[in-house]
Amino acid sequence: MPTRARRKQTVANSLRVVTPLIIMAGCLFALTRQADLPHIHDLFILLGQVPAPHWIGALGATVLSFWALGRYDAVAHRHLRTGVDDPTARRAGMASIAFSQAVGFGLFSGSFARWRLLPQLNPLQSAQLTGFVGITFMTALAVICGLSLLIVGPSLGMRASGAGILLVSTVACGLCFLHPEWRIRGLRLRLPSLQAIFALALWTLMDVTFAGVALWLLLPLGHDIGLGVMLPAYFLALGLAIISSSPGGAGPLELAMLTLLPGADPAILVAGLLAFRAVYYALPAALAGVVLLWPNLMRRRLPLPDHAEDDYLGSDVRPAASQPFVRPQAETGVILQNGGHVMAFGLNQVAMLDTPQISAVLFDPISGRRGEIPDALRAHARARNTAACFYKCSARTAIAAKKQGWKVLKVAQDAILYPAEFSVSGSKFRQLRRKLRHAEKSGLRVEPAWSSLPLVQMAEVDEAWTRQHGAARGTTMGQFEPGYVSIQMTCLAWLEDRLVGFMTFHRAADEWCLDLVRQLPGAPDGTGHALICAAIDAARDAGVRRLSLAAVPDHQFSQRFDGGLRQFKSCFAPKWEPRYIAAPTWPQMGLAIAEMTRLVHRPARPEVEMPQANMPGFENHADVAENTVAAKWTA
């Protein structure tokens, strides 16, 4: 490093150390000028007026405050995916915060303490963890201060400031939901999930509230400060003290409290702050110092991690292409494109989609026992700070989840056909026969594609369809991509030598499921009906027992999202099977519905290498485990 740059770095480091000390000295000097502070002997006399039950209550409030801080650190570890189990993270978090808030210089002291107590973390990870905790804590504290100003602000301007803070925080939460990842000059920034944000806000509120209660209990008798007045003042003063980075917040905290509580007796307030520093700062710092000297004390007799008793056989993440060809639902093949994977909870395999907000099991389990999956799924989601849910599962899976206390809602109906029994004769197929006659009169030729696909023409049909209907939906519905459609069963519709439409179907040993439906604008009437009938005939010839026409919405708002799907599929008189969404709680249910809606209507477009005119067709294969798909995005 050049000498000039080294000098600049030295000056910057010195300022980081000296500035908090200067702030502390300046605040203490201003404090002596602003208030008539009592003599030290008088302070001890005032402290003697604090009843013993109040000291005990303050100790209890301190314990609860640090308990909340430990939970806060556990959430941070899960977000950064450090791999540290919750009990260890909580203990290390409490000790690190007790140490850093007493000595000041939060980023440095907190990073050192976490690195010392968690040897599995390197210094950079410890700094990242400390920075994340500091930034999110200050953000949550700002929201709490905004809420306090809105409720008890003494002037209209302060109430307006509080409302502004809450508005900005609401917009920020919306951005975290809509844009969970940001890339800034090649740096990938992953924002906390809404589940993590609400958890961090809750633990912050508990921490500062119990700390404020401890301070209020330690005020000498005779004060007339109500708890409702004390807490907002303490919240604001704490924020200023943290920003100053002075050791223990000394100076800024006292000056801010005296400024925000002008009617309080300075002697009583300073005496209470002195007792508060002894109980809330000095005692936890002493215990943290012992733990830092002998870190093994923290690691003794640790309880098992939460839900460890349920994880008898462990879990394993497997690639999407590993799902077996023999599986209950062919539609799980959609995870080949949407960033999903196969998750094995012991012997139970599911099609899993892990997104920034939820951990969703799509459709029914691939294998295993339904009753064993909800608890394992809930633990998996908790480890990611996300909401757990089953999406578009059958009634049997929904019942298994409901028996374990999960909330269940009906969201769709799946249209099921049985090719061996299907016939277009009878009055209920009158409309279908009319559509098929229209297609036949137009000269339409429909055929299944078993060996190769006209990918160039299919891409042109998809492009024309997209221009007419807008961007294709995704996540639980496929998007056109050559490698993806090449492993599906495809039916093609031709007018002479021109491709005017096609449909693709997910394939499993005993079921096919409709996926892509694409037609050129102006395609002959009945093209879609003819393609379905061709697929039914092909399934019958292949010995496939079930053919799913995929689900249609079935809830109180379903008419807005139907788009004629139910009417089209009803032409084939299918058996309608209900599909459900299940989540452990109603808030998680709401978050899951919102996230799935976002992903379906705003999917990432898979990377597509468009086929060239001389590009040969792809061979179709029966087993998806032998195929990989070129889509390169994650939910």
Side-chain angles (χ1 to χ4, degrees):
M1 180 183 292
T3 303
R4 187 173 182 180
R6 187 163 52 247
R7 288 176 180 173
K8 287 184 177 180
Q9 186 66 36
T10 302
V11 171
N13 291 336
S14 300
L15 287 175
R16 290 191 185 98
V17 175
V18 173
T19 300
L21 298 176
I22 295 175
I23 293 174
M24 180 181 70
C27 290
L28 290 174
F29 177 76
L31 185 63
T32 59
R33 288 302 190 91
Q34 177 177 327
D36 185 15
L37 299 180
H39 190 271
I40 188 66
H41 176 70
D42 297 329
L43 284 177
F44 281 107
I45 292 176
L46 288 172
L47 290 178
Q49 298 176 9
V50 180
H54 284 205
W55 287 96
I56 297 172
L59 285 171
T62 298
V63 170
L64 292 174
S65 176
F66 276 88
W67 176 85
L69 287 173
R71 266 62 187 171
Y72 195 105
D73 248 53
V75 175
H77 276 273
R78 293 198 294 266
H79 174 75
L80 295 176
R81 299 172 186 173
T82 62
V84 178
D85 61 85
D86 279 7
T88 302
R90 291 195 291 263
R91 294 187 180 192
M94 288 187 285
S96 300
I97 293 171
F99 174 75
S100 64
Q101 75 175 9
V103 304
F105 313 103
L107 180 60
F108 300 102
S109 58
S111 299
F112 165 76
R114 289 182 173 88
W115 173 68
R116 169 72 173 162
L117 297 174
L118 300 171
Q120 60 267 58
L121 301 184
N122 58 45
L124 178 59
Q125 288 176 310
S126 300
Q128 289 175 333
L129 184 62
T130 302
F132 177 85
V133 169
I135 292 173
T136 55
F137 184 87
M138 285 302 299
T139 303
L141 182 58
V143 175
I144 294 170
C145 291
L147 183 61
S148 300
L149 289 174
L150 182 63
I151 296 174
V152 299
S155 66
L156 182 61
M158 296 187 72
R159 288 194 178 96
S161 298
I165 293 173
L166 294 180
L167 178 61
V168 170
S169 64
T170 302
V171 172
C173 287
L175 289 175
C176 287
F177 176 74
L178 295 175
H179 303 283
E181 289 187 0
W182 294 70
R183 295 186 182 273
I184 304 174
R185 294 183 179 181
L187 179 65
R188 179 185 174 190
L189 179 62
R190 185 168 54 87
L191 301 178
S193 65
L194 292 185
Q195 185 105 335
I197 289 173
F198 291 131
L200 294 174
L202 173 63
W203 300 132
T204 301
L205 179 61
M206 290 182 64
D207 163 45
V208 297
T209 299
F210 284 121
V213 169
L215 173 57
W216 183 73
L217 288 172
L218 292 171
L219 292 176
L221 294 178
H223 71 85
D224 57 353
I225 304 173
L227 182 60
V229 176
M230 168 64 76
L231 289 180
Y234 174 74
F235 297 159
L236 293 168
L238 177 63
L240 295 173
I242 293 174
I243 292 173
S244 73
S245 290
S246 65
L253 181 65
E254 286 80 1
L255 183 60
M257 289 297 292
L258 286 173
T259 303
L260 294 169
L261 298 172
D265 184 344
I268 289 179
L269 193 56
V270 170
L273 286 167
L274 182 62
F276 177 69
R277 289 196 175 282
V279 172
Y280 194 84
Y281 284 84
L283 181 58
L287 296 175
V290 173
V291 173
L292 285 171
L293 288 174
W294 294 282
N296 287 333
L297 292 174
M298 187 195 73
R299 304 185 190 109
R300 290 182 180 176
R301 300 178 184 176
L302 281 178
L304 289 173
D306 292 346
H307 304 288
E309 65 276 9
D310 299 326
D311 191 14
Y312 296 114
L313 300 177
S315 59
D316 183 32
V317 178
R318 300 171 183 174
S322 69
Q323 57 185 308
F325 187 57
V326 180
R327 61 187 191 274
Q329 282 188 266
E331 198 170 2
T332 57
V334 76
I335 63 172
L336 289 162
Q337 192 180 59
N338 65 12
H341 56 269
V342 174
M343 189 75 185
F345 298 118
L347 301 177
N348 309 300
Q349 296 188 78
V350 295
M352 176 74 75
L353 182 63
D354 284 323
T355 82
Q357 306 298 338
I358 63 174
S359 295
V361 169
L362 299 181
F363 319 116
D364 274 3
I366 295 173
S367 64
R369 298 181 178 181
R370 290 176 170 83
E372 296 178 354
I373 296 174
D375 283 343
L377 173 59
R378 181 157 36 191
H380 171 78
R382 187 176 184 276
R384 298 183 63 251
N385 287 330
T386 55
C389 79
F390 290 91
Y391 185 70
K392 287 174 66 176
C393 64
S394 68
R396 292 180 63 189
T397 301
I399 290 172
K402 194 169 185 178
K403 287 180 178 178
Q404 299 186 31
W406 287 44
K407 314 305 178 186
V408 176
L409 286 177
K410 184 179 178 182
V411 292
Q413 283 187 314
D414 205 351
I416 304 297
L417 300 175
Y418 296 91
E421 306 169 4
F422 183 81
S423 171
V424 298
S425 61
S427 59
K428 59 184 177 181
F429 295 105
R430 185 182 301 109
Q431 184 179 3
L432 174 60
R433 291 195 298 268
R434 183 170 65 252
K435 293 289 185 180
L436 294 176
R437 285 195 298 269
H438 290 171
E440 184 179 1
K441 289 179 180 178
S442 68
L444 189 74
R445 175 169 53 90
V446 179
E447 61 184 13
W450 290 108
S451 57
S452 62
L453 298 175
L455 293 173
V456 173
Q457 296 185 60
M458 291 173 68
E460 292 172 351
V461 172
D462 176 74
E463 184 179 357
W465 182 91
T466 302
R467 284 197 303 267
Q468 182 184 28
H469 296 88
R473 297 176 182 177
T475 306
T476 57
M477 292 168 274
Q479 300 181 66
F480 179 79
E481 189 275 326
Y484 179 68
V485 301
S486 68
I487 61 173
Q488 295 183 316
M489 186 275 166
T490 304
C491 286
L492 307 172
W494 302 86
L495 273 180
E496 297 181 350
D497 60 349
R498 183 189 183 197
L499 184 70
V500 296
F502 66 88
M503 288 186 180
T504 69
F505 293 79
H506 297 293
R507 294 188 296 172
D510 204 33
E511 183 186 75
W512 291 356
C513 180
L514 178 63
D515 188 20
L516 299 182
V517 178
R518 299 291 187 266
Q519 291 181 200
L520 287 177
D525 183 32
T527 298
H529 301 77
L531 285 167
I532 294 291
C533 287
I536 294 171
D537 292 338
R540 183 188 301 114
D541 294 341
V544 175
R545 189 178 66 88
R546 285 164 48 101
L547 188 145
S548 169
L549 300 183
V552 298
D554 187 30
H555 46 78
Q556 59 180 343
F557 305 109
S558 58
Q559 292 183 350
R560 300 182 182 181
F561 305 101
D562 193 306
L565 285 175
R566 182 177 291 273
Q567 181 179 0
F568 169 72
K569 295 175 182 181
S570 294
C571 291
F572 300 89
K575 176 186 177 183
W576 295 101
E577 294 184 355
R579 295 290 179 260
Y580 300 87
I581 182 171
T585 64
W586 287 118
Q588 290 194 40
M589 174 75 78
L591 181 57
I593 292 173
E595 176 73 343
M596 290 305 302
T597 301
R598 179 184 74 85
L599 293 172
V600 167
H601 291 272
R602 297 183 57 187
R605 179 70 180 176
E607 294 182 11
V608 178
E609 295 182 3
M610 296 305 296
Q612 303 299 320
N614 59 353
M615 182 177 180
F618 284 82
E619 292 296 326
N620 278 307
H621 300 285
D623 193 339
V624 297
E626 299 176 358
N627 295 276
T628 57
V629 180
K632 299 179 182 178
W633 75 282
T634 56

